[in-house]
Amino acid sequence: MTALKKTEPQSSDTSWAEFGIDGMTCASCVRRVEKAIAAVPGVQAANVNLATERATVSYSDPAVADAVIQAISKAGYEPRIETRELQIEGMTCASCVRRVEKALSAVPGVLDASVNLATEKATIRFTGGDVSALEGAVRKAGYDIVHPREETVGTGPDRKALELRSLVLSLAFAAVFTLPLFVLEMGSHFIPAIHVLVMETIGMEENRYLQFALASFVLFGPGLRFFQKGVPNLVRWTPDMNSLVVLGTTAAYGYSVIATFFPELLPEGTENVYYEAAAVIVTLILLGRFLEARAKGKTSQAIKHLIGLQPKTAFVQRAGDFEEVPVADVRRNDTVRIRPGEKVPVDGTVIDGDSYVDESMITGEPVPVKKAVGSEVVGGTINKTGSFTFQATKIGGDTLLAQIIRMVEAAQGSKLPIQALVDKVTGWFVPAVIAAAAITFAAWLALGPDHALTYALVNAVAVLIIACPCAMGLATPTSIMVGTGRAAEFGILFRKGEALQSLRDVEVVALDKTGTLTKGRPELTDFDVADGFGKAEVLRLVASVESRSEHPIAEAIVTGAKGQGIGLADVAEFDAKPGFGVSGVVDGKSVLVGADRAMTASGIDVSGLTARAEELGTLGRSPLYAAVDGKLAAVIAVADPIKDTTPEAIAALHALGLKVAMITGDNGYTARAVAAQLGIDEIVAEVLPDGKVDAVKRLREGGRKVAFIGDGINDAPALTEADVGLAVGTGTDIAIESADVVLMSGELTGVPRAIALSQATIRNIKQNLFWAFAYNVVLIPVAAGVLYPVNGTLLSPVLAAAAMGMSSVFVLANALRLRTFRTV
């Protein structure tokens, strides 16, 4: 895969880059791609090399890369695009997120970059190749890259645990030195006995020297982490939350140092010291960081739980005997033994024995599933009382559990549209706070009462300390992490994080009938022949033709014929037309089986059996016709049993205020009968497989938001067309790949659960955002002293530090409430 490599520019305004391209086969392809790229505004020249499959492009604007990619695609070729994740260390607030995104987006070839503060990950979509340029951009912005360890999950030190331990030690160290400092200064102010004791035993001057020493230990010991991040960002003119802490504590500490050692430099009466304020600010912010880190750990518990599902070892057959080996040593096609109570280590197929397996951790369904020879088993599930052996089919990263973990992590790392407002604000928030602090200082200095310098310093420090970009940065991603994690516990997987928001706005839930509302296993219920035909003979001919089809209805007819002891014959000239029917030649007779439209297309009159077909349709059965040698021979009916959980799911959707629509290929009579039975609001009947997209478009008329639920291959386009596509887990891989949400249990009850969880998560995000913005909008002016002329209220920097630390904790605690979400 070719990276986008910046080469030597010809001028200060021109850059060169390379794009990898797949699909070129000749000189004409080269010319076509060159013309397409050259036509992009901002591109100055394009040179395509067929041998290396690269396009070298000179451009004047780095933002042109995305347009070049689109131009290559429109020309009919495949640009090489890669998605990478980087684990980033050192981000503390929303300003950090914005800074890293900006740095990554500036790297040539990056199409988009999204950074998540809660997961501390950056997801980058770029033209592929070496990631060193991406890592270099992150480091240049002032942050570190953490490379994943080459070791089994669950072993080795946890980076988060080490970080938490470091915070605990720093907090304990800071508290030990801050407590006596606080008692010396504030105790002397409020308790006369302490003041007298200090003056008689230590003395005023020595007291200040002691406070200086204690504050210095706190600031440049546990508080050094703020300076290590904040000072470089100030130098780069890209201040963050650490920079605010540095400015606030340095102002208080620096002023106190001058008052202690050079009091003659200050106006008379202003030689006060604020060592305790600087130390307490550091200690309280460390406390906030500790509580924040601990709460962050809880937000990712769902992922930890999923990772913990896989056992560490497996009993694998080696040289005829079963021996215990690490799960990493299990190979495809190995024979694995499972005893009662053991976890299944990898995915596979049962080859001996039978048992019941608890799959609730994967599907969310509590009832154990029967497993016998030929059954599929999933890694991470728990065997109950029986014993069996199975052949491993998927191992390592290919197992269903590994795929689920990747899916959940991807959803947790995504950004929702609701985050756009936060991104706009965070770009200028910290500089605006610094400006507000400077204005506060100047205003108090010019307009304040006696000893104005003291008021100016204290209030400016309070403004710097109370501002909290952290809460804004955590408001959305923490709720997403907890919400998607909780969804995974119910067997609901959000493949795309955006679906978490768009699902909340859905007004119509459109359901494909076969396999979604029903079990997808039709049964032959009726077979009525026309005059002059024998039932057994026509059924033999029809079943013989249908035996060549893979359609569920065909399977029902074949099963029904075999159940009556009817043998099948060879078929010649078999042909299947989706949405119409099948045809073939059996024993020299031409046989056609299909819907009334198939008969009409072949010029066959069905009026003789229309009344019977309509009667069968009113009973909720699907009528088909059969013709032999161009003559109507029979009307056939099959019925697909409704899933047991379908009525409950539709009732739950109605309880959420949603309309339910059914899309089906059945005729109107059958569709109306099923709809009446289930209480479905809207019907789109007689839909051909390729007509489901148009059916979804029809339901969207009037600006309605539509969610489509399906499971088959022909559902994939409709899943993509809908505002939100949900695939039941028993469906095909193609359907699941096309969906935004996957219901692992295969039951419709997952749909109202997913929608209700989406509503709860977005509501939680809005609560967090309201708090994050309201906190800053209200308390920054209070810290600046806006209430002082009204009632004399001023906010101490110490209280400001406590408020700032607790604001992030509040956001995290609110997000964690989603862990208690109950299903509908």
Side-chain angles (χ1 to χ4, degrees):
M1 193 165 284
T2 305
L4 176 64
K5 298 177 182 176
K6 190 170 181 180
T7 59
E8 194 65 35
Q10 287 184 325
S11 71
S12 58
D13 297 326
T14 303
S15 297
W16 290 82
E18 288 186 353
F19 294 78
I21 304 171
D22 290 327
M24 297 188 298
T25 57
C26 63
S28 296
C29 300
V30 169
R31 183 61 185 152
R32 192 174 298 119
V33 174
E34 283 181 341
K35 284 182 69 176
I37 296 175
V40 174
V43 170
Q44 297 173 343
N47 179 35
V48 177
N49 187 309
L50 180 61
T52 61
E53 295 184 318
R54 293 178 182 175
T56 305
V57 182
S58 66
Y59 52 85
S60 55
D61 180 7
V64 84
D66 202 17
V68 170
I69 293 288
Q70 292 178 21
I72 295 170
S73 297
K74 286 181 180 177
Y77 302 92
E78 190 65 34
R80 295 173 190 165
I81 299 174
E82 205 177 324
T83 300
R84 287 289 180 90
E85 270 193 354
L86 296 179
Q87 185 77 47
I88 299 174
E89 192 172 50
M91 297 189 298
T92 56
C93 65
S95 297
C96 301
V97 169
R98 185 67 179 153
R99 187 169 303 115
V100 175
E101 285 182 342
K102 196 172 179 181
L104 287 169
S105 297
V107 176
V110 170
L111 304 176
D112 56 67
S114 175
V115 177
N116 187 302
L117 180 61
T119 60
E120 297 180 333
K121 287 181 180 178
T123 304
I124 308 104
R125 197 169 65 93
F126 68 121
T127 54
D130 188 10
V131 297
S132 59
L134 302 175
E135 295 182 352
V138 172
R139 291 192 175 98
K140 191 174 179 182
Y143 305 91
D144 295 324
I145 299 292
V146 179
H147 292 285
R149 293 175 173 271
E150 298 296 330
E151 52 194 14
T152 305
V153 173
T155 64
D158 183 353
R159 186 175 62 86
K160 293 287 186 184
L162 292 175
E163 180 185 338
L164 194 62
R165 196 176 307 136
S166 171
L167 277 169
V168 169
L169 292 174
S170 295
L171 176 60
F173 185 93
V176 166
F177 286 95
T178 298
L179 184 60
L181 175 56
F182 185 79
V183 171
L184 283 172
E185 181 61 27
M186 302 310 293
S188 296
H189 282 297
F190 295 105
I191 304 174
I194 293 179
H195 177 73
V196 172
L197 179 65
V198 170
M199 290 301 101
E200 289 181 353
T201 57
I202 303 176
M204 174 67 78
E205 192 170 351
E206 289 76 8
N207 176 36
R208 289 194 169 186
Y209 294 155
L210 180 58
Q211 288 190 37
F212 164 73
L214 291 171
S216 298
F217 278 128
V218 174
L219 254 69
F220 305 113
L224 187 62
R225 64 177 66 213
F226 301 116
F227 288 84
Q228 289 171 333
K229 293 290 183 185
V231 172
N233 286 333
L234 279 172
V235 172
R236 283 191 290 262
W237 293 96
T238 54
D240 64 350
M241 195 211 76
N242 294 299
S243 305
L244 296 180
V245 175
V246 167
L247 289 173
T249 55
T250 301
Y253 177 81
Y255 186 93
S256 302
V257 169
I258 294 173
T260 301
F261 298 102
F262 310 102
E264 66 278 3
L265 298 178
L266 298 173
E268 187 177 347
T270 63
E271 310 92 340
N272 303 309
V273 293
Y274 299 97
Y275 290 120
E276 93 290 345
V280 171
I281 286 169
V282 168
T283 303
L284 287 176
I285 292 176
L286 284 172
L287 174 62
R289 289 272 179 94
F290 163 70
L291 295 173
E292 181 182 316
R294 197 168 68 169
K296 267 188 187 178
K298 291 180 181 178
T299 63
S300 59
Q301 277 188 350
I303 286 289
K304 292 177 182 175
H305 171 69
L306 287 171
I307 292 172
L309 289 177
Q310 188 179 51
K312 300 291 186 294
T313 60
F315 282 92
V316 180
Q317 192 173 46
R318 295 278 192 264
D321 294 322
F322 284 95
E323 58 182 72
E324 190 172 15
V325 301
V327 74
D329 291 343
V330 178
R331 297 290 174 259
R332 193 172 283 107
N333 297 323
D334 274 351
T335 299
V336 183
R337 185 185 67 193
I338 301 295
R339 294 175 297 190
E342 290 183 342
K343 286 183 178 180
V344 178
V346 295
D347 297 358
T349 304
V350 177
I351 57 176
D352 183 54
D354 59 79
S355 182
Y356 283 88
V357 175
D358 180 3
E359 297 183 340
S360 60
M361 62 290 299
I362 302 294
T363 65
E365 296 299 319
V367 180
V369 180
K370 171 75 172 177
K371 300 294 180 182
V373 175
S375 299
E376 301 290 330
V377 290
V378 177
T381 56
I382 302 173
N383 183 33
K384 302 303 283 185
T385 56
S387 179
F388 60 89
T389 57
F390 71 94
Q391 185 177 51
T393 56
K394 292 182 180 179
I395 58 173
D398 294 330
T399 63
L400 178 63
L401 181 59
Q403 293 176 49
I404 289 173
I405 291 170
R406 285 198 298 270
M407 213 179 283
V408 174
E409 285 180 332
Q412 290 184 340
S414 62
K415 278 195 175 184
L416 303 191
I418 199 172
Q419 178 76 11
L421 175 62
V422 178
D423 291 341
K424 289 178 181 177
V425 171
T426 53
W428 52 261
F429 180 79
V430 174
V433 169
I434 294 173
I439 293 169
T440 299
F441 185 87
W444 277 99
L445 196 61
L447 306 174
D450 293 340
H451 310 308
L453 180 60
T454 300
Y455 284 97
L457 174 72
V458 170
N459 291 315
V461 170
V463 169
L464 290 169
I465 297 302
I466 203 165
C468 187
C470 307
M472 289 191 289
L474 292 169
T476 302
T478 50
S479 296
I480 294 172
M481 284 185 72
V482 181
T484 52
R486 184 62 172 153
E489 292 174 7
F490 291 132
I492 302 166
L493 302 180
F494 286 87
R495 291 189 65 251
K496 299 172 185 175
E498 297 83 355
L500 197 59
Q501 181 169 341
S502 51
L503 194 58
R504 164 189 168 270
D505 300 321
V506 162
E507 299 167 72
V508 180
V509 176
L511 303 154
D512 180 50
K513 191 195 112 184
T514 304
T516 305
L517 288 171
T518 63
K519 294 180 179 180
R521 295 188 299 273
E523 300 168 357
L524 179 64
T525 57
D526 300 89
F527 196 96
D528 298 338
V529 295
D531 292 340
F533 289 92
K535 181 176 180 179
E537 174 61 13
V538 175
L539 180 55
R540 184 182 73 87
L541 296 174
V542 169
S544 297
V545 173
E546 292 287 12
S547 67
R548 299 288 297 275
S549 172
E550 296 178 351
H551 196 283
I553 288 179
E555 186 180 340
I557 294 172
V558 172
T559 302
K562 288 181 177 178
Q564 296 180 34
I566 295 174
L568 306 181
D570 293 334
V571 181
E573 300 177 29
F574 175 80
D575 184 36
K577 291 182 179 179
F580 285 83
V582 294
S583 62
V585 177
V586 182
D587 295 341
K589 296 178 180 180
S590 175
V591 181
L592 172 64
V593 186
D596 51 1
R597 51 182 171 267
M599 300 296 152
T600 301
S602 298
I604 298 171
D605 181 16
V606 297
S607 58
L609 293 174
T610 300
R612 177 57 176 158
E614 291 177 354
E615 180 187 347
L616 293 170
T618 59
L619 297 174
R621 300 167 189 169
S622 300
L624 299 170
Y625 295 97
V628 178
D629 289 334
K631 295 180 181 179
L632 182 65
V635 63
I636 308 161
V638 295
D640 191 359
I642 300 293
K643 288 182 179 178
D644 296 337
T645 55
T646 295
E648 176 191 347
I650 291 174
L653 289 170
H654 284 146
L656 290 170
L658 302 171
K659 295 287 185 184
V660 180
M662 180 177 71
I663 297 176
T664 177
D666 292 341
N667 61 43
Y669 294 107
T670 304
R672 282 191 289 274
V674 174
Q677 181 183 348
L678 295 174
I680 289 171
D681 305 297
E682 300 180 39
I683 306 165
V684 185
E686 300 187 34
V687 176
L688 296 176
D690 58 357
K692 291 181 182 179
V693 170
D694 291 331
V696 171
K697 287 179 178 177
R698 227 179 305 162
L699 291 170
R700 292 172 71 182
E701 289 175 358
R704 298 193 301 179
K705 300 290 185 184
V706 175
F708 178 78
I709 294 90
D711 72 333
I713 290 175
N714 57 30
D715 291 332
L719 288 165
T720 304
E721 173 64 30
D723 295 288
V724 187
L726 297 93
V728 294
T730 54
T732 65
D733 290 339
I734 293 175
I736 290 174
E737 284 296 317
S738 303
D740 303 302
V741 184
V742 179
L743 310 176
M744 295 301 297
S745 68
E747 299 295 343
L748 271 185
T749 47
V751 177
R753 284 176 184 171
I755 293 172
L757 186 56
S758 167
Q759 293 172 346
T761 303
I762 299 302
R763 187 163 55 245
N764 191 273
I765 288 173
K766 287 184 173 181
Q767 292 166 353
N768 283 346
L769 288 175
F770 174 79
W771 167 261
F773 282 100
Y775 165 88
N776 285 291
V777 168
V778 172
L779 289 186
I780 288 177
V782 171
V786 73
L787 294 180
Y788 184 77
V790 179
N791 55 19
T793 299
L794 289 175
L795 193 64
S796 162
V798 170
L799 292 177
M804 193 271 277
M806 291 303 106
S807 65
S808 296
V809 174
F810 176 89
V811 165
L812 286 159
N814 188 51
L816 287 171
R817 290 193 308 114
L818 287 170
R819 293 199 311 177
T820 63
F821 172 83
R822 294 287 178 263
T823 59
V824 293

